[in-house]
Amino acid sequence: MSSPAPALVKAAQELSRKLAPLKFGEPVTHVYNPLEYASVPHEQYLNRYGRAGQQIMFLGMNPGPYGMTQTGVPFGEIPAVRDWLGISSPVGKPMPEHPKRPVVGFDCPQSEVSGRRLWGLFAAKFGTADTFFARHFVANYCPLVFMEEGGKNRTPDKLPAPEMATLYKACDEHLRKVVTALQPEWVIGVGGFAEGRAQLLKADFPNLKIGRILHPSPASPAANKDWAGNVTRTMESLGLW
């Protein structure tokens, strides 16, 4: 089987081009696109870890401020990306940059808790990244980061309906390209939003199975009580682990 990586890289570049002209109104004041300014580590991730035979694809929502926003890698907690995935490349700057949300790439001192939990579980269970990626892949539905004037994150599902519709059209098309390239048996939504977008794939991929794990965000009270154990039990109940 040929590697899906070139198709993944091409799909990411096409998505980035389609999103570039989109405009978003208040309360959003700043929009970051890591596929642009962090394209080097993002494409390293796709080239290194997009592999034939990956049966399970985990799907996140959009970048966190100290994860993919800084590293270009989904759920990109810096120590996990640098030390476990072995990716550490120069990252540019979004324009304009929010004064309260600077992008400093792999020098970012803050921790992305969601990414620390997600990659931490995978590292604990599978040992090496190569072992994990032999059967799994991790992607994000939307690559854009939306910020309000005060620096607060705004998730894509909180955008006005017309903006949301245009954004979702491009992201849905990209998701179909990713699934076409990887041909997974399962797409596992990391949280309810991602599961909902994944369910729409059934129209084009009727044999695709859709599941859901608890989102690792510390904003979720349930995620702060043995998140790793909860996810492990879910994956075991689906017969995947």
Side-chain angles (χ1 to χ4, degrees), residues 1-2 4 51-56 133-136 182-184:
M1 299 171 68
S2 60
R51 301 175 180 177
Q54 291 170 321
Q55 301 147 308
I56 303 161
F133 282 101
R135 288 186 64 230
H136 308 79
L182 290 173
Q183 294 291 306

Side-chain angles (χ1 to χ4, degrees), residues 80-123:
V81 175
R82 183 189 61 220
D83 304 330
W84 199 60
L85 299 180
I87 294 171
S88 180
S89 298
V91 170
K93 287 278 191 182
M95 296 296 291
E97 187 175 44
H98 196 296
K100 293 184 178 179
R101 289 286 181 263
V103 170
V104 293
F106 286 82
D107 293 326
C108 178
Q110 288 96 337
S111 174
E112 183 70 39
V113 177
S114 293
R116 190 172 76 228
R117 288 174 173 173
L118 190 87
W119 293 115
L121 169 61
F122 298 157

Side-chain angles (χ1 to χ4, degrees), residues 60-61 67-68 73-77 114-115 118-119 138-140 190 215-216:
M61 185 180 196
M68 186 174 177
V73 175
F75 293 94
E77 159 79 347
S114 293
L118 190 87
W119 293 115
V138 180
N140 258 344
V190 183
H215 197 286

